């Protein structure tokens, strides 16, 4: 109970309106504040914050939560991290956390300190490196963005960074664990990055976790990341995501490298992210999926870029993403093309990026002689990697008919092949709108009353008054949980939260009159009982049993008397 009290104390001390208002422009509407949803693209506001009840809700995509879930969804924090962040802002001291040993926390702190010290060292080296500054200037990086991006230089020497950090008191073992140093063949400690332009790599929360390095000249490898560590996992980290996550409501732009991301960010196209020298992974996509279902893949306009685009497409489609493909001219990449076109023209290209379907069909048919059966079969085989992910619409049927004609296949055979490869439904990586439950008007009011903390009053009401009404199981589950929606199954939890949001939009949750509600409940119950007794009196078995008939008549008389009394009470309240 103590943990729950701490959470409630932090929640009560947090200004949800101010927290959400940092990212969303809101205007007052009744008891709520409304604005455009930050989790999906929309033109008409369907997102609202209800400060008096401590939640936000989107009627478009179904996103719902409180201050904690806001930070978890928007910043990628775990619940303990969100609790710690909000408590610190509210000036609330939390009890010592028991989840992680003190030694582990101390190691993480020291690793982060070493990385920050390395970043400061690299930045100082840049100031005295005319070649690096000229290289950045030639690539279009200038002004304040140079400092924002955090460019630096790893000197052309074996151990310049190691010597500097050891002088600051960092141990050799710690520098290896941070990925900043490695062992030579002779066992001496040397800098991991040498003679390279450096770029800081951040996690989703904007914390420095690693470095990337671009070699000067024609050395290999051209790009190099520091090794995976306890803070950094290359297959789970997207370069630029800490800047991009606030700009993803119109979709993410996945590009290939550091400089693509940085050039686009410098020009205001903050939705750009890139994997770190690896193919796009499922974990990368799931991170994006917390913010958007729309992804545009944009890779270099060469054979390698096309292969990377196809591989990413195969990864994204099964996860339920809406994918568009932006192919650049041969020899161009997003970095150079944005410089040539300018930000606004590149933004127009992005808006006009076509759906993946036409691109992949053209790609499958490209260079093939469809008069030859082997080429037709190869094209068909290539298409079967993608066609199963098309929606089942009239447009798709027309497309299938056209393909069947081009490939000289019976349409039924194409249908069967696609059906055999069609994947099972997958969980979409962002929340969809919860189902709308059928709730009787009175049950709906009881649920809202329960969520106001008045569940003990409802428990005093005879269950017979409401247990036959639509939605009674929802109310019973909420009563069993003592009004705490977070203890319900996810589907019920989402439906209850949607109900609260709808009520707040109509101000229906304000000032519920419990006494009047209970009178209506009993009146409804009495009316149903009168009707049931009247039906029973028509049963031939009752008509032939005088004693039974008398008992039912007596019960009916009592019900009618109670009905009149309830009617008088209700009139007296109006």
């Amino acid at each position: 109970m103590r943990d729950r009290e701490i959470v409630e104390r932090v929640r009560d001390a947090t200004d949800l309106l101010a927290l959400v208002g940092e990212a969303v422009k809101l205007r007052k509407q009744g008891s709520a504040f409304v604005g455009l949803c930050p989790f999906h693209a929309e033109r008409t506001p369907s997102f609202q914050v209800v400060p008096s009840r401590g939640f936000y809700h989107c009627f478009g995509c179904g996103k719902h939560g409180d201050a904690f879930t806001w930070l978890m969804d928007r910043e990628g924090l775990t619940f303990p991290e969100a609790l710690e962040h909000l408590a610190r802002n509210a000036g609330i001291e939390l009890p010592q956390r028991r989840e992680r040993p003190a030694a582990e926390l101390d190691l993480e702190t020291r690793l982060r300190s070493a990385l920050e010290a390395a970043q400061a060292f690299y930045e100082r080296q840049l100031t005295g490196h005319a070649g690096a500054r000229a290289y950045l200037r030639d690539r279009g990086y200038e002004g304040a963005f140079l400092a924002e991006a955090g460019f630096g230089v790893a000197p052309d020497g074996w151990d310049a960074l190691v010597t500097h950090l050891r002088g600051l008191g960092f141990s050799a073992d710690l520098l290896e664990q941070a990925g900043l140093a490695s062992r030579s063949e002779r066992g001496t400690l040397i800098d991991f990055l040498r003679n390279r332009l450096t770029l800081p790599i951040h996690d989703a929360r904007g914390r420095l976790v690693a470095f990337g390095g671009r070699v000067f000249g024609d050395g290999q490898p051209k790009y190099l990341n520091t090794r995976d560590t306890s803070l950094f996992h290359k297959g789970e980290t997207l370069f630029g995501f800490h800047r991009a996550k606030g700009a993803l409501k119109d979709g993410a732009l996945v590009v290939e490298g550091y400089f693509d991301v940085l050039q686009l960010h410098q020009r205001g196209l903050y939705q750009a992210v890139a994997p770190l020298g690896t193919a796009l992974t499922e974990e990368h996509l799931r991170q994006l999926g917390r913010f958007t279902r729309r992804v545009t893949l944009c890779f270099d306009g060469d054979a390698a870029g096309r292969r990377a685009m196809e591989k990413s497409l195969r990864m994204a489609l099964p996860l339920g993403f809406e994918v568009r493909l932006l192919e650049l001219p041969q020899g161009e990449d997003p970095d150079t093309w944005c410089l040539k076109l300018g930000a606004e023209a590149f933004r127009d290209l992005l808006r006009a990026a076509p759906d993946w379907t036409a691109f992949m069909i053209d790609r499958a048919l490209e260079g093939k002689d469809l008069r030859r059966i082997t080429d037709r079969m190869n094209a068909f085989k290539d298409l079967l990697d993608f066609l199963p992910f098309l929606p089942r619409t009239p447009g798709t049927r027309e497309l299938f008919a056209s393909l069947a004609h081009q490939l000289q296949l019976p349409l039924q055979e194409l249908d069967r092949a696609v059906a055999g490869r069609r994947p099972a439904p997958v969980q979409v990586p962002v929340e969809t709108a919860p189902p709308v439950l059928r709730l009787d008007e009175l049950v709906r009011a009881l649920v809202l009353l329960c969520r106001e903390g008045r569940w003990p009053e409802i428990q005093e009401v005879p269950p017979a008054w409401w247990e036959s009404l639509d939605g009674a199981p929802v109310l019973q589950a909420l009563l069993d949980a003592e009004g705490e929606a977070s203890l319900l199954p996810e589907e019920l939890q989402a439906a209850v939260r949607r109900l609260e949001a709808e009520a707040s939009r109509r101000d229906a949750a304000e000032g519920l009159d419990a006494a009047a509600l209970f009178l209506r409940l009993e009146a409804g119950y009495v009316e149903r009982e009168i009707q049931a007794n009247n039906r029973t009196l028509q049963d031939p078995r009752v008509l032939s049993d005088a004693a039974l008939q008398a008992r039912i008549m007596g019960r009916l008389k009592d019900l009618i008397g109670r009905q009149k009394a309830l009617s008088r009470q209700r009139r007296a309240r109006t």
Side-chain angles (χ1 to χ4, degrees):
M1 177 60 81
R2 179 169 173 75
D3 289 343
R4 184 169 170 180
E5 288 174 354
I6 291 169
V7 170
E8 291 301 323
R9 184 181 170 202
V10 172
R11 182 185 284 118
D12 291 344
T14 299
D15 185 344
L16 180 63
L17 185 62
L19 182 67
V20 176
E22 292 175 1
V24 182
K25 186 176 180 180
L26 299 165
R27 60 180 175 80
K28 197 170 190 318
Q29 187 178 88
S31 62
F33 290 78
V34 300
L36 295 174
C37 180
F39 299 106
H40 79 289
E42 63 177 9
R43 294 183 179 179
T44 303
S46 60
F47 178 83
Q48 66 168 7
V49 179
V50 188
S52 62
R53 301 180 65 81
F55 68 78
Y56 59 85
H57 181 87
C58 178
F59 290 92
C61 68
K63 277 285 188 181
H64 183 107
D66 57 13
F68 301 109
T69 53
W70 175 262
L71 290 179
M72 293 164 70
D73 285 338
R74 297 286 297 175
E75 304 296 330
L77 275 61
T78 64
F79 181 80
E81 289 171 337
L83 176 62
E84 183 179 341
H85 177 89
L86 293 175
R88 184 169 57 250
N89 287 352
I92 297 173
E93 186 174 348
L94 297 177
Q96 186 66 36
R97 289 173 55 185
R98 299 184 297 275
E99 291 87 349
R100 299 174 64 189
E104 183 181 332
L105 291 171
D106 180 57
L107 173 62
E108 180 178 317
T109 300
R110 289 185 289 123
L111 288 173
R112 296 194 188 282
S113 295
L115 291 167
E116 292 292 348
Q119 172 64 16
F121 174 81
Y122 289 146
E123 287 183 353
R124 284 196 297 274
Q125 303 307 305
L126 177 63
T127 61
H129 200 294
R133 296 199 310 276
Y135 173 81
L136 289 171
R137 189 166 53 251
D138 290 343
R139 295 201 65 158
Y141 296 101
E142 54 197 2
F145 191 77
L146 281 171
E148 182 184 339
F151 289 111
V153 167
D156 185 12
W158 288 106
D159 60 358
L161 177 66
V162 166
T163 300
H164 173 72
L165 294 181
R166 291 299 304 274
L168 295 178
F170 293 103
S171 69
D173 182 54
L174 184 72
L175 298 185
E176 285 190 86
Q177 290 184 65
L180 297 171
S182 57
R183 295 283 176 180
S184 69
E185 292 181 358
R186 293 184 298 175
T188 56
L189 198 65
I190 59 175
D191 295 349
F192 189 83
L193 296 178
R194 303 182 300 278
N195 194 29
R196 288 177 180 269
L197 184 74
T198 64
L199 299 125
I201 297 170
H202 300 87
D203 64 12
R205 296 176 59 185
R207 298 175 299 185
L208 180 60
V209 293
F211 291 94
R214 204 279 187 197
V215 72
F216 291 116
D218 299 322
Q220 292 295 327
K222 183 185 290 187
Y223 294 100
L224 180 65
N225 300 316
T226 49
R227 294 189 307 270
D228 277 19
T229 67
S230 60
L231 301 181
F232 171 58
H233 302 284
K234 185 166 56 177
E236 300 175 3
T237 306
L238 283 166
F239 186 75
F241 186 56
H242 65 296
R243 289 194 201 95
K245 63 187 180 182
L248 296 181
K249 67 177 182 178
D250 293 322
L253 172 62
V254 179
V255 295
E256 214 165 348
Y258 312 120
F259 286 97
D260 296 326
V261 170
L262 291 172
Q263 189 65 256
L264 293 167
H265 283 193
Q266 181 178 223
R267 306 292 167 179
L269 292 139
Y270 289 107
Q271 64 266 54
V273 296
L276 289 162
T278 67
L280 199 65
T281 67
E282 187 171 312
E283 179 55 35
H284 289 147
L285 287 164
R286 292 197 181 280
Q287 287 186 48
L288 292 174
R290 294 204 309 269
F291 297 85
T292 183
R293 285 184 61 190
R294 297 177 59 191
V295 172
T296 300
L297 302 176
C298 178
F299 289 89
D300 297 354
D302 54 21
R306 281 190 165 195
R307 286 195 298 272
M309 187 183 285
E310 287 183 27
K311 190 170 184 179
S312 298
L313 182 61
R314 288 188 179 94
M315 184 71 66
L317 289 177
L319 293 175
F321 282 91
E322 300 170 17
V323 184
R324 294 182 177 275
L325 303 179
L326 179 57
E327 187 178 27
L328 301 181
Q330 184 74 27
E332 298 289 356
D333 55 38
D335 176 13
T336 60
W337 201 232
C338 184
L339 268 176
K340 289 180 181 179
L341 294 182
E344 198 52 45
F346 194 94
R347 190 175 279 110
D348 290 339
L349 272 183
L350 185 58
R351 293 190 192 106
D355 181 81
W356 63 270
T357 313
F359 179 92
M360 293 313 302
I361 290 175
D362 290 346
R363 182 95 166 90
L365 301 181
E366 184 180 33
K368 295 184 173 66
D369 184 351
L370 298 184
R371 294 172 298 181
R372 300 175 55 189
I373 189 169
T374 53
D375 280 8
R376 292 200 304 272
M377 290 303 98
N378 285 335
F380 184 40
K381 182 180 177 182
D382 290 344
L383 287 170
L384 279 180
D385 283 339
F386 303 100
L387 294 182
F389 297 102
L390 284 169
R392 304 182 193 187
T393 64
T396 298
R397 295 301 301 149
E398 292 178 13
L399 176 63
F400 278 19
S402 173
L403 285 174
H405 177 73
Q406 292 180 74
L407 299 173
Q408 299 179 36
L409 286 170
L411 180 56
Q412 295 85 348
E413 185 176 333
L414 177 61
D415 284 340
R416 279 197 300 272
V418 170
R421 299 284 290 273
R422 186 163 275 134
V426 296
Q427 182 177 0
V428 175
V430 293
E431 292 182 55
T432 54
V436 179
L437 294 179
R438 287 186 57 193
L439 295 180
D440 182 271
E441 176 193 358
L442 296 176
V443 171
R444 188 183 302 268
L446 289 170
V447 167
L448 293 174
L449 200 63
C450 198
R451 288 293 293 140
E452 287 187 349
R454 300 172 70 179
W455 53 269
E457 297 175 51
I458 301 172
Q459 286 185 327
E460 297 298 319
V461 171
W465 290 5
W466 52 264
E467 61 188 2
S468 65
L469 302 178
D470 284 346
V474 179
L475 177 58
Q476 185 61 64
L478 200 53
L479 289 174
D480 292 342
E482 297 185 346
E484 183 54 61
S486 62
L487 301 179
L488 299 179
E490 285 188 12
E491 185 173 320
L492 285 185
Q493 189 177 138
V496 168
R497 286 172 170 169
R498 182 182 179 89
L499 172 61
E500 283 189 281
E502 290 172 344
S504 293
R505 186 162 63 174
R506 300 190 309 266
D507 287 344
E510 302 297 327
L512 281 171
D513 187 336
L517 176 59
F518 296 157
L519 281 175
R520 290 181 61 199
L521 267 179
E522 187 180 1
Y525 164 72
V526 168
E527 176 60 30
R528 292 192 299 274
E529 285 293 294
I530 288 173
Q531 293 176 5
N533 277 267
N534 280 329
R535 286 193 298 271
T536 303
L537 285 172
Q538 306 306 313
D539 190 314
R541 289 169 297 181
V542 175
L543 292 172
S544 62
D545 187 334
L548 179 57
Q549 193 174 15
R551 284 200 302 272
I552 294 173
M553 289 292 291
R555 167 67 174 157
L556 188 56
K557 182 180 178 182
D558 292 340
L559 287 168
I560 292 173
R562 182 56 183 161
Q563 185 181 52
K564 291 178 179 178
L566 289 170
S567 181
R568 287 194 297 270
Q569 291 180 48
R570 293 178 65 186
R571 285 199 303 271
R573 297 183 61 86
T574 59

